[in-house]
Amino acid sequence: MELGLAIALALGLYLLGHYLNRRAHRQHQQHLNALQSATLQRAIALLQHLQKHRGLGAQQDISSVSQRNVLARQLDQLWLNWPGPSLQLAPLQQDWPKLRRHPADFAAHCQVIEGLLQVIEQLEERLRLAGNPPLQGIGALCRSLEDLARLRGLAVRAANYQRCPSGLQEQMRQLCHKLEHSGASTALHQTLQRLEQDLIDAPRIRLAPRDCFELFAPLIDDCLGPLRHNPGLGL
């Protein structure tokens, strides 16, 4: 009788411990998923702000400088307490002060943005494996967004010259070709056509830096649409 009671008690304690361990693991996973989801949202916001900051970097008019300064303050807050290292993600916030001091450094912006794209893809995969299907495809959308934003940034830089420099011509032609063959919409096709005629191949550039920046605004808004309406992001 006593042996049976002891066995039953031991079994009960084992089952209780197993239940508590599973509940603790589930709660930990829920907390981790929430943190990774919040970090993904922040990474996408950082991506958009850095792309704008890069695009405005080569502009020196009062309006552009003012807008860039506002973006810089917003980026300060977005980078604050970046949880990258604690989540085994790249500590990208350490590169931001240099970008803030040198807003015209196109290559440095691209390097940090590439790091953010990799973080977004890494978080998307982690959340997918944890059973978060609405997030599928976010990385690819952000890559498409970067193609547009990079082309915008290059166009703004080129528009500061009388004729498009050959190095910028080559980079923009490659991006235009890539975008044209990715299922370009009518609006995108028209924008790329104008860019080629009035900037890339023009004997004398007919677009101001600000014109180039604004030219891409509706296309980038369209690309951001699926991200803003994704139920898993809450952007």
Side-chain angles (χ1 to χ4, degrees), residues 9-196:
L9 181 59
L11 181 59
L13 289 172
Y14 170 79
L15 292 173
L16 177 61
H18 182 67
Y19 166 75
L20 291 174
N21 283 335
R22 288 189 62 184
R23 188 175 72 170
H25 175 75
R26 185 168 59 251
Q27 289 175 340
H28 172 73
Q29 190 61 50
Q30 289 171 346
H31 173 74
L32 183 61
N33 287 346
L35 180 57
Q36 291 184 144
S37 181
T39 304
L40 176 59
Q41 293 174 36
R42 196 200 297 198
I44 293 173
L46 280 164
L47 175 69
Q48 295 172 46
H49 282 66
L50 276 173
Q51 287 169 337
K52 283 186 178 180
H53 192 265
R54 177 183 60 188
L56 293 166
Q59 301 184 51
Q60 297 304 321
D61 60 282
I62 294 175
S63 175
S64 297
V65 171
S66 176
Q67 188 176 352
R68 191 172 66 227
N69 289 337
V70 170
L71 280 168
R73 289 191 292 272
Q74 292 172 342
L75 281 160
D76 287 341
Q77 294 302 309
L78 284 168
W79 281 122
L80 193 63
N81 298 322
W82 168 252
S86 64
L87 290 176
Q88 296 182 322
L89 301 171
L92 299 171
Q93 79 283 2
Q94 64 191 16
D95 297 318
W96 164 239
K98 179 185 175 183
L99 297 185
R100 205 186 201 288
R101 292 192 303 270
H102 304 286
D105 192 334
F106 189 87
H109 276 81
C110 291
Q111 185 175 356
V112 177
I113 286 171
E114 175 58 31
L116 274 172
L117 289 168
Q118 292 177 14
V119 163
I120 288 167
E121 290 166 344
Q122 189 174 349
L123 288 170
E124 176 189 1
E125 178 64 10
R126 288 183 189 177
L127 290 164
R128 184 189 68 80
L129 292 173
N132 218 329
L135 298 168
Q136 193 171 359
I138 296 300
L141 281 171
C142 288
R143 290 280 178 185
S144 298
L145 174 63
E146 170 57 6
D147 287 339
L148 282 173
R150 184 186 286 250
L151 182 58
R152 175 183 64 184
L154 291 170
V156 169
R157 285 164 61 85
N160 286 291
Y161 297 88
Q162 291 187 351
R163 185 169 184 175
C164 186
S166 58
L168 293 177
Q169 274 184 331
E170 181 61 27
Q171 291 181 68
M172 284 190 285
R173 283 189 179 124
Q174 288 178 2
L175 278 171
C176 286
H177 180 78
K178 182 179 180 180
L179 288 165
E180 281 279 17
H181 288 80
S182 64
S185 64
T186 301
L188 176 57
H189 177 76
Q190 291 173 345
T191 298
L192 297 180
Q193 192 173 45
R194 184 181 176 191
L195 199 66
E196 290 170 357

Side-chain angles (χ1 to χ4, degrees), residues 1-11:
M1 183 71 176
E2 290 181 357
L3 179 60
L5 184 60
I7 292 174
L9 181 59
L11 181 59

